[in-house]
Amino acid sequence: MLRAAETGQWPVNIIIMAGGKGTRLKPLTDNTHKSLIPVGGKPIIRHLIDHLTLSGFREIHISVGHLAEQLTSYLSDGHDLGISIRYIQERSPMGSIGALTLKQRWPHEHFLVINGDLYSNFDIGNLCTEYFSRTADMAILTIPNVVKIPYGVLEMAADGHVRAFVEKPDYEFTVNSGVYMFNRNILNLLPKGIPYEGWQLIQSALHANLKVAGIPHTSGYWIDIGSMEALQKAQALSQADITQH
């Protein structure tokens, strides 16, 4: 059974990774936890938690490190939100995903891991459905990204002759969203107690010949708030949503 019918929840552990320093958002993050920066009058992480609870999840783990006390003071144990929040304490920086090895026992065999600086209402149900139906070891929520080249691009032959030319082309790539689902086969690839990044875990899974699926983000919005420009984009989007409602 893919769903626990009595609770409406998928049988997965939910982990929000929020241990980073948010250096790209300085000076806003000098004295404020990155995930507590408000978007539309509400902290980034609260948007994410509200989205998870709307999808039926009531138990959430959050990894914390830099300025951890701000986040734990704001969210506490989740009781006021009608959920249960537990924390994974990073004594030293563990990268974007390494903190998972700091907890020894997990209630479920599957994991949904989300970067704590995402402003998104991605379709959680679709991601879960695709992950389980494909029997993948790992699923990555993917985002289309267009890179605009401001120059004319030459295709060169080995002998130096120009074979083709395109003026200021757009190239579309599929990129990692910072949202992952995986099973214990993938979890066991994480080296214990050292910093590790999400992209490294993807590479480890591929090198181990495990089944990695890309699940396209097809509805809603997704913004990785890793820069002032992205934060401004999220603010504008939230204001537009408020205006529409």
Side-chain angles (χ1 to χ4, degrees), residues 9 12-17 45-46 48-54 56-63 75-78 81 83-88 106 112 114:
Q9 292 183 6
V12 298
N13 306 297
I14 308 296
I15 307 98
I16 299 174
M17 311 305 292
I45 198 166
R46 180 63 187 277
L48 188 53
I49 288 173
D50 288 350
H51 183 50
L52 287 164
T53 56
L54 283 173
F57 295 105
R58 295 291 181 270
E59 296 183 5
I60 297 173
H61 288 81
I62 303 176
S63 73
L75 293 172
S76 189
D77 62 0
L81 302 177
I83 60 175
S84 171
I85 296 177
R86 297 178 182 177
Y87 298 94
I88 303 171
W106 295 95
L112 172 57
I114 307 169

Side-chain angles (χ1 to χ4, degrees), residues 25 223 226-234:
L25 286 176
I223 300 176
S227 67
M228 293 301 295
E229 181 183 7
L231 177 59
Q232 291 166 1
K233 182 179 178 182

Side-chain angles (χ1 to χ4, degrees), residues 23-46:
T23 54
R24 291 180 295 171
L25 286 176
K26 283 180 170 291
L28 292 180
T29 52
D30 284 342
N31 301 300
T32 302
H33 194 285
K34 179 179 179 179
S35 69
L36 292 178
I37 293 173
V39 172
K42 186 164 64 174
I44 297 168
I45 198 166
R46 180 63 187 277

Side-chain angles (χ1 to χ4, degrees), residues 42 49 71 73 76 86 89 97 102 109 111-112 120 130 135 140 145 159 209 214 223 238:
K42 186 164 64 174
I49 288 173
L71 195 58
S73 176
S76 189
R86 297 178 182 177
Q89 181 68 54
I97 208 163
L102 300 179
E109 296 294 313
F111 301 80
L112 172 57
S120 178
E130 290 293 322
T135 61
I140 306 162
N145 186 61
D159 61 5
N209 290 318
I223 300 176
S238 67

Side-chain angles (χ1 to χ4, degrees), residues 88-95 97-104 187-197:
I88 303 171
Q89 181 68 54
E90 300 182 23
R91 301 301 177 186
S92 59
M94 293 295 292
I97 208 163
L100 290 184
T101 64
L102 300 179
K103 180 177 171 60
Q104 300 302 314
L187 181 71
N188 290 337
L189 296 176
L190 285 170
K192 301 291 190 295
I194 67 171
Y196 214 66
E197 303 294 338

Side-chain angles (χ1 to χ4, degrees), residues 97 111 131 136-139 181-190 201-202 204-206 208 210-212:
I97 208 163
F111 301 80
Y131 166 75
D137 291 292
M138 183 179 203
M181 287 197 71
F182 51 82
N183 58 25
R184 289 186 184 269
N185 293 331
I186 300 293
L187 181 71
N188 290 337
L189 296 176
L190 285 170
L201 185 59
I202 296 171
S204 296
L206 294 173
L210 295 174
K211 186 175 180 180
V212 180

